[in-house]
Amino acid sequence: MASNTADTGHGAADAVHGSSGMPQLDFSTYGNQIFWLLVTLVVIYLILSRVALPRIAGILNERQGTITNDLAAAEDLKAKAVEAENAYNKALADARSEAQRIVAETRAEIQVGVDEAIAKADAEIAAKAEESEKAIAEIRATALDNVKIVASDTASALVAALGGKDDTDTIAAAVAKRTEG
């Protein structure tokens, strides 16, 4: 009997609710379901359009602005880097030209010093050469006289050794004739 009472209770519930099954598929409640669906969609639309989407749009605009500003700053930095590189290259070229100018001036100064030293050395060499020429001329002059004296003495000694008569005038004439030519 207990089982009978339970079935009766179920039957009464089914009669109140209609047929058994899912209530979403019950055609008698479609009007209410469509009404509440539309109310829910309108509420979701209003919440999204008034609250969520403006915040998302604001964040996207802010990000786009940040990206645009960063790109502009990068372009500015790139332009500054190009200017700095050009300034560096110009300074490097100026430094090279200055170094070349200094090298040219130093070479000119060194060349002047070298030319002065060469001129001084040439003057010293010329003076020593002149002294040497004088000394050689004196030695030649003295040597010729010495050769004449030695030749005369040797000829006198030979003539005396061979048993001849020592004639100083004849020997001097013979030595003078041989040394002349």
Side-chain angles (χ1 to χ4, degrees), residues 9-23 26 28-29:
H10 266 279
D14 285 341
V16 172
H17 291 292
S19 69
S20 66
M22 293 180 54
D26 186 12
S28 64
T29 61

Side-chain angles (χ1 to χ4, degrees), residues 63-170:
R63 285 185 183 174
Q64 185 62 36
T66 303
I67 290 170
T68 304
N69 291 340
D70 288 348
L71 289 175
E75 287 295 323
D76 289 343
L77 290 176
K78 183 178 178 183
K80 288 179 182 179
V82 168
E83 289 176 14
E85 182 180 9
N86 290 340
Y88 170 76
N89 289 336
K90 184 181 182 309
L92 187 61
D94 291 344
R96 284 184 181 153
S97 65
E98 180 69 18
Q100 289 175 353
R101 183 189 62 79
I102 290 170
V103 166
E105 287 177 1
T106 304
R107 280 186 185 157
E109 291 173 4
I110 289 172
Q111 189 62 40
V112 167
V114 167
D115 290 343
E116 289 175 0
I118 288 174
K120 184 177 178 183
D122 285 345
E124 290 176 5
I125 290 171
K128 288 185 179 184
E130 188 176 318
E131 289 176 15
S132 297
E133 289 294 326
K134 286 180 183 177
I136 290 171
E138 289 176 10
I139 291 171
R140 280 188 183 160
T142 310
L144 188 58
D145 291 339
N146 289 338
V147 166
K148 287 181 183 179
I149 293 171
V150 169
S152 295
D153 290 343
T154 306
S156 294
L158 283 173
V159 168
L162 293 174
K165 182 178 173 196
D166 185 16
D167 185 10
T168 313
D169 291 336
T170 306

